[in-house]
């Protein structure tokens, strides 16, 4: 996925054993109080280690060369040449030692030392007992044999997980081992989290101790405590100042994201950062937002359902509460399929917010109700997005809409699965952390394996205790009467609206999509699934909405048609395909903001503009399309 470049040495750290008075075979004490010990032997976990450089004694404490010491115990160390600090880790524990300093940092806490690390003949020497004991080792000195016996545990201690920092990079959730640092209201994170979780990215220390971060062909070179940054070899002066902490380069993340094109949000009370780089997150580019009012639109004069893929929605209860989901396991939505074709095509759209106080697992299952006919999953693909952010339209809705209109749904391993009579199988599973929202869309094709009539039930199910999802076959939970989000199944996942012909040079005209009149085709009453209640889908969540606009040109010359898109029912965002190319619509405020769509040139006497929309779930509807002549 990515290439990691590190300029660190892999070494090990162990603590020094105190040398008692009367130790023999030492050279004379120098003016700096340092003795060379010629015949000291050191054993670590039963094995004698070999040290090529001299072993030193200072103030009755043994010191070893840094590399030899740390390699012997299997610790990793990062060396900061500017601060002369060695940051060593072993079994999750961090010890920072600085040359000539009598104070160390052990897991961030300051600890006094009896002897400081020092430089001797261009070698860095570390106190053996202090290092060993602070990596939870036991040190024994035998004065008779002039030997040190060190025992180190290889067990990694459990690390406290209270309030870890969480980083989301393009909806990939990472539990950080390092803190997010705030300085003067600006946020910084270690650069390694960026290049380790973004494709086509690298990070490396340069010989002058600067750090180069390369992302998608763009180069950033940061220096410790310098606001002069090289961006593609051009000097840029920042208000922020990158810095090195515990051997890692902390970079000003807002600057990086803005330079790449993206978005950032840090929720300090939750210790969660959301980082989006559009180059990686979306296939399509955003339309530029314009400011101004738009005229009141007309209703779409006619619309109809199109296509043979039905739509099954699991969006109620949207907010999963203990009252609505009191048991450990639950069916959230259920669709008993009345198969009419050899291959039956389904779209499952889900949207749920976990307030149950614990992490849960969700899943899509299919139960074969036939006693004689096997069924086969001939196609299975989808997308899911999660967020703890309040920007659900951006985090979840836009990514789903972008993937659907670009035909970028990911193939599921359940494709090809055969479900025997009476058997239930899991089609897809999703982990949903507490206080997170998930949106998912899954296209599923099923046919009878032997040409008969298939009978099966599709469910979205939930478990709090990691139960087998296949065993969850209860009736779907009650509808949340106080928050009536959609639930049900309808015969098509696509609506087609054919607008009246527009004549060039005539006044601009607008049409309201999702007007609740002619295109309100998915009601509670006509849902296929009525078990324990259904709620209509007037917002067309999970649906493709196609618009056909005939254009008449009697001018005899080439004309340019301009189009706009504006929200009508509140904040709006989504994706739109214009004559085959997909664009993203940023959040639009009603009455003050709109986007201009790519222009359409008509050379002949007639033509047709083809549009296709998918609304970003979690935002208000409807939206209006305006057509005029440039």
């Amino acid at each position: 996925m990515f290439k990691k470049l590190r300029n660190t040495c892999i070494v090990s750290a162990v603590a020094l054993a105190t040398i008692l008075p009367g130790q023999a075979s030492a050279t004379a004490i120098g003016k700096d109080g340092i003795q060379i010990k010629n015949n000291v032997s050191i054993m670590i976990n039963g094995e004698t280690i070999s040290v090529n450089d001299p072993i030193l004694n200072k103030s009755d404490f043994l010191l070893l060369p840094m590399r030899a010491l740390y390699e012997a115990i299997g610790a990793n160390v990062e060396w900061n040449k500017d601060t002369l600090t060695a940051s060593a880790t072993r079994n999750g524990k961090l010890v920072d030692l600085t040359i000539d300093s009598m104070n160390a940092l052990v897991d961030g806490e300051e600890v006094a030392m009896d002897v400081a690390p020092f430089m001797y003949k261009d070698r860095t020497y570390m106190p053996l007992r202090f290092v060993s004991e602070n990596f939870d080792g036991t040190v024994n000195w035998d004065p008779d044999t002039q030997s040190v016996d060190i025992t180190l545990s290889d067990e990694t201690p459990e690390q406290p997980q209270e309030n870890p920092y969480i980083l989301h990079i393009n909806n990939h959730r990472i539990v950080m081992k390092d803190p997010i640092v705030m300085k003067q209201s600006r946020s910084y994170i270690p650069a390694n989290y960026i290049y380790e979780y973004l494709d086509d990215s690298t990070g490396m220390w340069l010989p002058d101790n600067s750090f180069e971060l390369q992302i998608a062909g763009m180069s950033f070179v940061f220096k410790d405590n310098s606001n002069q940054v090289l961006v593609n070899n051009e000097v840029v002066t920042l208000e922020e100042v990158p810095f090195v902490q515990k051997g890692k380069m902390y970079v000003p993340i807002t600057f990086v994201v803005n330079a790449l094109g993206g978005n950032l949000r840090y929720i300090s009370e939750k210790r969660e950062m959301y980082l989006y780089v559009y180059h990686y997150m979306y296939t399509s580019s955003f339309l530029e937002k314009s400011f101004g009012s738009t005229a009141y639109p007309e209703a779409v004069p006619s619309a109809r359902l199109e296509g043979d893929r039905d739509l099954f929605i699991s969006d109620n209860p949207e907010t999963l509460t203990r009252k609505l989901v009191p048991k450990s396991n639950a069916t959230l939505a259920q669709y008993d399929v009345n198969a009419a074709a050899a291959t039956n095509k389904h779209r499952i759209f889900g949207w749920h917010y976990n307030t149950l106080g614990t992490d849960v697992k969700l899943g899509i299952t299919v139960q074969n109700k036939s006693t004689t006919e096997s069924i086969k999953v001939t196609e299975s693909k989808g997308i899911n997005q999660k967020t703890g952010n309040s920007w659900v339209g951006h985090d979840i809705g836009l990514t789903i809409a972008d993937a659907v209109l670009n035909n970028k749904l990911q193939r599921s391993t359940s494709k090809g699965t055969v479900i025997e009579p009476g058997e239930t199988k899991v089609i897809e599973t999703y982990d949903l952390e507490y206080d997170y929202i998930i949106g998912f869309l899954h296209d599923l094709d099923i046919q009878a394996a032997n040409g008969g009539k298939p009978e099966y039930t599709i469910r979205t199910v939930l478990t709090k205790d990691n139960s087998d999802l296949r065993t969850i076959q209860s009736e779907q939970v009650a509808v949340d009467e106080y928050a009536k989000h959609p639930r049900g199944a309808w015969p098509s996942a696509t609506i087609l609206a054919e607008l009246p012909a527009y004549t060039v040079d005539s006044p601009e005209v607008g049409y309201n999509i999702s007007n609740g009149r002619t295109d309100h085709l998915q009601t509670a009453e006509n849902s296929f699934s009525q078990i324990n209640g259904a709620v209509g889908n007037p917002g067309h969540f999970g649906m493709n909405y196609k618009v056909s606009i005939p254009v008449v040109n009697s001018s005899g010359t080439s004309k340019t048609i301009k189009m706009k898109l504006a929200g009508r029912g509140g904040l709006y965002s989504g994706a739109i395909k214009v004559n085959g190319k997909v664009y993203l619509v940023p959040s639009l405020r009603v009455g003050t903001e709109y986007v201009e769509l790519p222009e359409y040139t008509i050379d002949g006497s007639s033509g047709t503009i083809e549009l296709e929309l998918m609304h970003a779930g979690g935002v208000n509807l409807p939206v209006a399309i305006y057509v005029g002549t440039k």
Side-chain angles (χ1 to χ4, degrees), residues 252-277:
I253 192 60
T254 301
F255 167 75
V256 174
V257 171
N258 288 342
L260 293 167
N263 226 318
L264 181 75
R265 188 182 185 197
Y266 180 42
I267 306 174
S268 57
E269 63 271 18
K270 295 175 68 175
R271 291 188 168 194
E272 295 201 23
M273 176 174 284
Y274 293 82
L275 187 160
Y276 307 101
V277 179

Side-chain angles (χ1 to χ4, degrees), residues 32-71:
D32 50 8
I34 296 174
Q35 285 180 294
I36 296 176
K37 301 295 295 181
N38 294 326
N39 64 342
V40 171
S41 64
I42 300 173
M43 185 176 290
I44 298 176
N45 288 346
E47 293 187 9
T48 301
I49 68 169
S50 175
V51 182
N52 294 327
D53 293 302
I55 299 173
L56 303 182
N57 173 22
K58 184 176 182 180
S59 303
D60 285 338
F61 289 89
L62 284 182
L63 295 98
L64 266 63
M66 179 177 73
R67 180 178 296 274
L69 175 58
Y70 288 168
E71 285 182 346

Side-chain angles (χ1 to χ4, degrees), residues 300 303-305 311 313 315 347 349 400-401 404 441 486 490 492-497 512-523 535-547 572-573 613-623:
V300 170
R304 67 177 186 269
L305 293 175
L311 178 67
I313 293 190
D315 188 20
R347 171 168 292 175
F349 179 83
I400 291 177
V404 171
L441 183 147
W490 294 274
S492 178
T494 302
I495 289 179
L496 174 62
N512 216 15
I513 305 300
S514 302
N515 59 52
R517 300 179 188 178
T518 56
D519 65 354
H520 186 179
L521 300 171
Q522 295 181 328
T523 65
V535 180
N537 183 29
H540 303 156
F541 297 121
M543 298 194 71
N544 294 52
Y545 196 112
K546 296 181 178 180
V547 179
Y572 178 83
S573 64
L613 299 93
M614 176 168 272
H615 308 315
V619 294
N620 294 308
L621 299 167
V623 65

